[in-house]
Amino acid sequence: MPLIHSLYPLLRPLLFKLDAETAHEWTVKMMRMAHTLGLLGTPRHDPKTAVEVLGLTFPNCVGLAAGMDKSASAVEAWFATGFGFVEVGTLTPRPQPGNPTPRLFRLKEHEAIINRMGFNNPGIDSAVHRLERRTSNGIVGVNIGKNFNTPNERAVDDYLYCLRAAYAVADYIAINISSPNTKGLRDLQAEEPLVRLLSVLKEEQMRLQAHHGRYVPLLVKIAPDLGPEQIAMLARVFTTLQIDGVIATNTTLSRDPVQTHPLALEAGGLSGAPLTNRSTEVITALRAVLPTSIPIIGVGGILGIEDATVKLQSGASLVQLYTGLVYRGPILVSQIAALKSK
Ligand SMILES: Cc1cc2nc3c(=O)[nH]c(=O)nc-3n(C[C@H](O)[C@H](O)[C@H](O)COP(=O)(O)O)c2cc1C
């Protein structure tokens, strides 16, 4: 058993004594250090867990969701923990500090998190520079967004900048139009702005493919707070524009399952256990209307093998997690990674 699995139950109470953002910063630093010292070991991948999707061979079905390693500072450590792929970001063209603190809250009783980080990140160029110096060839997705002060009418310029910057170092690019903490971002999920944005990015992807001699799939990350008509519209747009995949879902604005919690009224996106069912519902609804050629990465409230299995059975080809790692630790990654592909 990797050392980190036995260490986490000891570390967790200490981390939970710190405020959530400090704990997060410490975790990323510790992971990097532990990897440098060789304490995480090297994951051995069972060929039976490999998943072929997006034209890539994933060593297993579980990835690190965006937001944990926004700046791509500990990518190799996440691979050593057992993740089959790592999504870094969200990254924007210019560095930005994000929202004022406090902006990250644990709702322990619900195994949930509310965050309103607001895309704090060092800027895409800095992350790309880090990724250029990577030592492994593990699968890395780069999640891109727009700066908080770029108006939606010019959002396409920000996404284009990031797509061009990240293309050479990414195995896939995730277009994030679903974070609730950048004003107006989710409006880009409406049909007209969405078609405008994705058409331009798709065209640029073709140009970049010719230039680099390599096809990098474009995925779109969507919100859980969508009705059946919006989901049907999204599926239509993704199919018409030949989007390569969908990541479902981001955090929710809903507070239904946590209404009585003292932190429930904190602004931001809710993740973890209260999101599990809603995110699965979106995956199921999307799978029913999306051609099978467009894979779904299922994310939202995976806190056990059962949650991951349900997402896969509902039509996801791969899964990701963030909040589950906070509450259950790295053993969760190994357990899900051991799931055999169909
Ligand atoms: C603190 C925090 C920061 C996040 N930052 C991002 C982000 O920058 N970009 C993004 O696409 N999703 C972000 N997410 C959303 C996660 O990637 C994921 O979609 C969501 O948390 C649901 O999964 P979970 O329940 O496993 O956490 C963030 C989530 C959390 C908790």
Side-chain angles (χ1 to χ4, degrees), residues 65-67 70 89-90 104 113 115 119 143 176 179 221 249-251 271-272 275 299-301 321-323:
K70 288 184 194 262
T90 296
L104 185 58
I113 290 175
N115 94 83
F119 292 171
N143 180 308
N176 182 6
S179 282
K221 184 162 178 180
T249 68
N250 215 309
T251 54
S271 59
L275 178 60
V299 50
L321 50 93
Y322 183 138
T323 308

Side-chain angles (χ1 to χ4, degrees), residues 195 202 233-243 291 294:
V195 169
K202 197 64 203 174
M233 177 278 287
L234 289 176
R236 225 173 33 243
V237 171
F238 296 157
T239 309
T240 311
L241 295 179
Q242 295 181 299
I243 290 302
I294 305 183

Side-chain angles (χ1 to χ4, degrees), residues 116-190:
R116 52 169 178 273
M117 304 301 286
F119 292 171
N120 55 310
N121 80 100
I124 187 110
D125 294 326
S126 146
V128 165
H129 188 59
R130 281 210 180 104
L131 291 173
E132 281 166 350
R133 289 173 296 163
R134 283 178 56 202
T135 50
S136 85
N137 60 356
I139 295 177
V140 171
V142 179
N143 180 308
I144 61 174
K146 75 170 192 72
N147 280 107
F148 78 102
N149 56 358
T150 301
N152 270 10
E153 308 77 66
R154 291 216 305 274
V156 63
D157 296 339
D158 279 13
Y159 286 95
L160 263 180
Y161 182 94
C162 292
L163 174 61
R164 288 174 185 145
Y167 196 89
V169 296
D171 292 296
Y172 71 83
I173 307 257
I175 303 161
N176 182 6
I177 46 169
S178 51
S179 282
N181 304 312
T182 295
K183 202 165 159 271
L185 193 83
R186 287 185 171 202
D187 297 344
L188 296 172
Q189 292 178 125

